Amino acid sequence: MTAPHSSTPPFNPPFNPPDPPPSPADSAIDLRGRTALVTGAAGGIGAACALRLAAAGARVRAVDRDGSGLDALRARAEHLPGAVEAVHLDLTDLDAAEQAAAGTDILVNNAGTQLVRPIQDFPPEEFRAVLTLLLEAPFRLLRGALPHMYERGWGRVVNISSVHGLRASAYKSAYVAAKHGLEGLSKVTALEGAPHGVTSNCVSPGYVRTPLVEKQLADQAALHGIPAESVLTGILLADSAVKRLIEPGEVAEAVVYLCGPHASFITGSTLTMDGGWTAH
């Protein structure tokens, strides 16, 4: 008697090989003549977005406080049709952030941080810092960018939100609050920008293979007293139907899609990339 055939799909490893760098041949969207600003561009999702926009021909202002990371990004972008300009800036300098966004056609609000603590143990100053970077800085960047977009009659705002902008998880009060706020800010921007040819949308991924997620593995392992690999499979990916981390390049493809001419009627929306988490 043979053993019954198992219908359980094979487990996909959560850590995948890095994406290959984008090439001009990959880009069907032409963003030549457009100026884009990407925050948190020195690594992870931000770097992938900067490279993908440059592959489409955009001039990209890559904003980050990590100077060495920006230098590495510029080196990776040398072969692309567009250009990458490194802008060394701490976005908590809100006045400087607003000034840096002047003259941009595409704004990608991506910079982020995370701290995992129970509410009663969450330092108030850290709560304020997370909201400043993830919500107030995007507001100030919008203030700087929208006048130029309105003048030209065209603009694209893409906010890198999170599945936590749609659902909550314990121990992430500041991050969840900020991302819920960013989703709301994006919708208000869509309503105000529509008469001026400006769209505003969120891309809301689940867990992406970035240093921010790696830090969460360590934080949650310490919080729950379990190994980091158990955090990944038992906590982070527990509610995801697709049992792997998202690649930064997958998020970048969604961003550049929303910047294309075929997406002109998509505004005030959220493109959710969560592997089926919110399907529950």
Side-chain angles (χ1 to χ4, degrees), residues 92-125:
T92 60
D93 183 345
L94 298 171
D95 290 338
E98 184 171 324
Q99 293 170 10
T104 56
D105 305 298
I106 297 167
L107 174 61
V108 181
N109 284 312
N110 165 73
T113 188
Q114 175 66 281
L115 182 65
V116 179
R117 296 286 189 281
I119 290 174
Q120 68 272 19
D121 298 328
F122 210 106
E125 64 277 9

Side-chain angles (χ1 to χ4, degrees), residues 27-187:
S27 181
I29 295 174
D30 186 355
L31 295 176
R32 287 174 294 181
R34 304 295 188 188
T35 298
L37 185 151
V38 180
T39 65
I45 295 172
C49 289
L51 292 170
R52 186 63 181 86
L53 289 165
R59 298 184 302 270
V60 181
R61 297 177 190 169
V63 177
D64 207 294
R65 63 183 183 182
D66 178 2
S68 60
L70 290 176
D71 290 341
L73 175 68
R74 288 179 61 192
R76 294 173 65 192
E78 286 180 353
H79 70 290
L80 299 176
V84 172
E85 172 193 0
V87 180
H88 189 268
L89 176 65
D90 186 338
L91 290 171
T92 60
D93 183 345
L94 298 171
D95 290 338
E98 184 171 324
Q99 293 170 10
T104 56
D105 305 298
I106 297 167
L107 174 61
V108 181
N109 284 312
N110 165 73
T113 188
Q114 175 66 281
L115 182 65
V116 179
R117 296 286 189 281
I119 290 174
Q120 68 272 19
D121 298 328
F122 210 106
E125 64 277 9
E126 294 294 336
F127 188 93
R128 186 180 306 111
V130 171
L131 264 68
T132 297
L133 180 61
L134 272 65
L135 185 55
E136 190 171 3
F139 163 72
R140 294 295 296 271
L141 288 157
L142 281 166
R143 277 179 49 89
L146 287 176
H148 172 77
M149 294 182 183
Y150 287 0
E151 182 181 350
R152 296 194 67 180
W154 190 94
R156 295 289 183 267
V157 178
V158 184
N159 299 296
I160 306 301
S161 180
S162 165
V163 70
H164 283 113
L166 308 170
R167 298 288 190 272
S169 289
Y171 312 119
K172 298 181 181 180
S173 55
Y175 189 83
V176 170
K179 291 300 187 182
H180 273 67
L182 185 62
E183 296 268 352
L185 177 63
S186 183
K187 292 175 183 177

Side-chain angles (χ1 to χ4, degrees), residues 19-22 26-27 29 31 38 43-56 73 76 106 108 110 158-160 203-205 208 210 246-260 262 271 273:
D19 296 316
D26 294 333
S27 181
I29 295 174
L31 295 176
V38 180
I45 295 172
C49 289
L51 292 170
R52 186 63 181 86
L53 289 165
L73 175 68
R76 294 173 65 192
I106 297 167
V108 181
N110 165 73
V158 184
N159 299 296
I160 306 301
V203 174
S204 299
V208 184
T210 65
I246 307 167
E247 292 299 318
E250 293 177 280
V251 181
E253 288 296 331
V255 169
V256 81
Y257 166 78
L258 291 171
C259 295
H262 47 276
L271 178 53
M273 305 177 67

